[in-house]
Amino acid sequence: MEFLSKYYEIASAVLFVIGFATLLFSKNLIKKIIGFNIMDTSVYLFLAVKGYIEGRKAPIITDGVQSVSAYINPIPSGLVLTGIVVSVSVTALMLSMTCVLYARYKTLDLDRILIYANKEES
Amino acid sequence: MEFIKNFPFFSIMVAMLGAVVCSVLKGRAAKYVSFFATGVIFLLSLSTLVYTCVTESSFVYWMGHFPAPWGNEIRAGQTECMTATAFSFIILLIIVGGARYTERATDRSKQNYFYILTGLLTGALLALVYTNDLFTAYVFIEINTIAACGFIMIRRTGKSIASAIQYMTMSLLGSGLVLIGITLLYTITGHLLMENIHDSIKALGASGEYRVPLLVVIGLITVGLAIKSGLYPFHMWIPDAYSHSFPTSSALLSGLASKGYIFLLIKIYYRVIGVDSILGSHVLTIVFICGLIAMLMGSVHALGQNDIRRMCAFCSVSHIGYIFMCIGLGTEAGMSAALLHLYMHAFTKPMLFLAMAGIASVSPKHELSAEQKEEAKKDPLSLESQSGEGVFTATTIELDAFDSYKYKDIKGAGKRNPFAAFTFLVGSFSMVGIPLFAGFSSKLYIAMAATGTESGIKFWAVMLTLALSTILMVGYFFRVVIRLYQDSDLALVEKRNRPEYIFSLSLFIAANVFIGLFSGYIIQILESGIKMFG
């Protein structure tokens, strides 16, 4: 049952699948964006968990403790921050496109939007 | 000569700075800045290429001169420099040749947006080509995606934004998979730089640990990048994205945006995971089969299109299949054939899209109905028009309606715009693989790479599919070419093309013939570059 003790990793895997499926299968644009965010966040959870070692602190020297074993590696946290910036900008772009499409077609359903748009072109 | 090692870094920075400067400039000035920046990048890449070829070496550049575990790295060898040179040259030609369409498709006050996106795309492509760090690669994958998405939606019609959102969805699925793949690789090996990961993967391979997770990582990264570059089962976004953006951006998208990912994939195979581990897994076989199916299905779909832009978009699907099929062969010859085909496609597709724009500009004019004009005027697409500030004009939609890419409308265009039709002819010769043009030599090297494989099934599969897809390609390209030179009952008013359009397309034709004639040298450089990857 050692497998079950890794509940953070399991949670992030489950979240990843949920997000991925929502992004792929949902027809609603807002739900797609939510799915994308869940997917990315699950990866950040995974990175953060893997980067944390129990009992150690963030690598900011306090009280003069300079031993390496007192601190965690800052790179995973740095990666999470970079990743968050990336997903925020992508989310903003997706939301702006959704706004424009909603203003034009008054619906968030991607299938319907495509049908309307095809009608317009032809 | 040490100074030359800064050039790859400079070229990425010049592209990004150019994009930033463009954001505060007006249309025409932005065009010149973008042109100048890309020209500088081309010269920088060319001199690095010459340097690496003369010294037959590759080098690793420490960003900010911080050594390995702390700093970020750039690696430049012959393959990278050649790709960067080719990419920057193509972007330069597209900016020049497509300037007229850029001016037409965007509002005067917003023309600089196009050049911001071009700068971002150039920077992201160069970074994908040069980077030696996986997480940097991920960040630039996303920047590339955002820039490409901008290119699709710049026309701001409903359909183009809807296809941009479709493109974005597929792309995000792909980059999600790449991200989790890189994360897993990082947790297994503890490194992000390619060489360090490679060393620890070798050690893991020797001790036999983590076999399944590594296989998962290879699969995730491959599938992710395949989705993003539009390999067959994931190609749904390609036709809409290429055919609903305006000519300049279709040229950039089809020629370049998806090629950066393919190059990155090859680099990851060689420099991160190692060919032996890749060959040991069966991922390459799957890539190979998907490539074969794409070669056929892309061509079959292209046959059924009555819009020449959609036809060319499906042709891209089939050519992406060619490239992935070559990668799937798993040999060094296969990889260099894949890269040669990548260059050939990158040089030919933008040329075709620009030529098609010229052809469409002389197609019979369809007047908009009064209803459509009314619709165009009250276009609710622009949020600004609702707030009352600056009205999004009807120009885009009106102008677009004049240019028809429909098969029935291009009849006789070869007489009305001889230059554009000639360019299309050269492009289709190259795509089909007539000797003298780039397509022939790349297909020749693909066939030669296929003879080098050990398995007979792979050899026959490649040969048969190559023949079949070439025949199909002849079918749909020559159908259009014949149509172009038929007599039509339209009045013969020869269209005068702008000098820069003629200049850029002539250079495209010259480059095509150059690749066709001197492919031996290119393959030599690529092969020695790929040897140095390992």
Side-chain angles (χ1 to χ4, degrees), chain A residues 24 86 94 100 104-105 118, chain B residues 142 158-159 168 173 379 381:
Chain A
L24 186 57
V86 170
M94 288 279 277
V100 172
R104 189 179 177 101
Y105 299 111
N118 279 332
Chain B
E142 291 289 29
K159 182 73 195 180
M168 206 63 187
L173 292 173
D379 184 3
L381 255 192

Side-chain angles (χ1 to χ4, degrees), chain B residues 30 90 189 226 259 269-270 288 295 310 368 394 419 421 429 440 443 453 455 490 499 516:
Chain B
I90 295 166
T189 60
K259 302 294 188 298
Y269 277 173
Y270 273 88
F288 178 75
M295 282 163 73
R310 279 187 86 80
L368 286 180
F419 181 72
F429 275 2
F440 170 73
K443 279 186 186 173
T453 53
S455 92
L490 275 179

